[in-house]
Amino acid sequence: MPNVLITGAGQGIGRATALLLAERGWKVGAYDLQDFPHPDLHTGIMDVTKPTAWETALADFRTNVGEIDVLVNNAGILYGGSFMEAGSFEKDSALVDVNIKGVLYGCRAVRPHLKPGAKVVNLCSASAIYGTPDMAVYSSTKFAVRGITEALNLEWEEDGITVEALWPLYAKTGMLDNVRTTGTDRMGVRLTADHVAKEVADVVERKRGRLAQVHTPVGTQSKVMFALSHFSPAWLTRFANAKLTTNRKIRP
């Protein structure tokens, strides 16, 4: 029976993923800032922004669950709205700490425990296709997650360790509570935590293929946007994303 550790698993996509993988027969270590006991999961407390918390959680996981076959870096936060009006130094720092450092620390802490055939799955976002207005800081952190994923996918390939990323668009979770932008209005919030969790679980269970599949867009909108971004010129990608995410007048 394989083992998976999931961060940010107390609610939303993380919790849905933990429960789905447990249903599929995985032994799941589910960690969050607060404990949330569940009969089908091994749960624990972890602040992903603290290296010592990672070491403690990994020791707990290995003692109570077993060796680590998969790490899912799911923990993340966001704020929406104008960069200058909705944000602050404190909010920006928090997003960088959780969304970027949390992934970096997780990869660094878990690497010594991973054996050939192990996998790291990072929750990225369709906002890493092109910088997203009114989610500028969140979008930039997901560009970082994209870079981390691509780099480690290459670095760790010779050791038989796979690193992949999931790219959902807007999903109906607590992260989007009280968040409304032009992008959410125009494209809608069509995904649910369960939709994304199924994609995460499928990627977790996916076998290594002959061709590396590093990024997996989630949902029709994300798949179309991701595919088109590889073929359209930069100016057209900019213009198309502007039309979807802002009311400001943008020149092509």
Side-chain angles (χ1 to χ4, degrees):
M1 184 179 297
N3 307 323
V4 57
L5 188 158
I6 304 173
T7 68
Q11 57 186 338
I13 293 169
R15 184 181 181 88
T17 301
L19 294 174
L20 179 57
L21 284 171
E23 184 180 311
R24 292 186 181 187
W26 286 69
K27 294 175 67 178
V28 181
Y31 294 83
D32 211 319
L33 285 172
Q34 296 181 336
D35 200 6
F36 51 102
H38 191 282
D40 298 326
L41 310 172
H42 173 75
T43 62
I45 299 173
M46 177 171 54
D47 181 345
V48 298
T49 70
K50 299 184 183 303
T52 54
W54 272 102
E55 297 297 343
T56 299
L58 289 172
D60 172 72
F61 183 95
R62 298 182 73 208
T63 298
N64 294 286
V65 180
E67 295 300 317
I68 300 172
D69 298 304
V70 178
L71 166 66
V72 178
N73 280 314
N74 167 75
I77 58 174
L78 68 76
Y79 71 82
S82 162
F83 177 74
M84 292 304 297
E85 295 176 6
S88 66
F89 290 116
E90 292 76 17
K91 288 183 179 180
D92 295 346
S93 180
L95 263 66
V96 169
D97 284 348
V98 175
N99 297 0
I100 301 179
K101 291 182 181 179
V103 174
L104 284 173
Y105 292 169
C107 291
R108 186 173 299 281
V110 79
R111 178 61 184 87
H113 305 291
L114 299 181
K115 298 177 180 179
K119 181 178 289 191
V120 175
V121 177
N122 298 325
L123 265 292
C124 194
S125 165
S127 67
I129 296 173
Y130 197 90
T132 304
D134 296 326
M135 287 188 176
V137 180
Y138 177 79
S139 178
S140 67
T141 65
K142 293 304 181 178
F143 270 89
V145 172
R146 175 179 184 168
I148 294 163
T149 302
E150 291 173 352
L152 295 185
N153 176 274
L154 293 172
E155 279 196 33
W156 295 355
E157 183 173 26
E158 287 188 356
D159 297 320
I161 298 167
T162 304
V163 184
E164 301 183 46
L166 272 291
W167 292 55
L169 193 58
Y170 307 116
K172 296 176 183 177
T173 69
M175 283 181 62
L176 281 184
D177 285 350
N178 302 315
V179 172
R180 181 178 179 181
T181 67
T182 303
T184 60
D185 284 347
R186 289 185 176 173
M187 290 184 281
V189 183
R190 301 185 182 185
L191 297 174
T192 67
D194 288 337
H195 289 143
V196 182
K198 181 182 182 304
E199 295 284 352
V200 177
D202 288 348
V203 168
V204 164
E205 295 184 333
R206 185 166 63 201
K207 303 299 182 183
R208 286 172 64 95
R210 295 179 62 185
L211 296 177
Q213 186 170 342
V214 183
H215 301 299
T216 300
V218 180
T220 301
Q221 292 171 311
S222 182
K223 290 176 181 177
V224 171
M225 292 167 63
F226 185 78
L228 291 177
S229 70
H230 289 78
F231 300 103
S232 63
W235 67 266
L236 183 56
T237 300
R238 174 181 181 273
F239 184 70
N241 277 271
K243 285 295 184 182
L244 291 172
T245 59
T246 181
N247 287 319
R248 301 166 182 86
K249 291 185 177 180
I250 304 294
R251 293 178 297 174

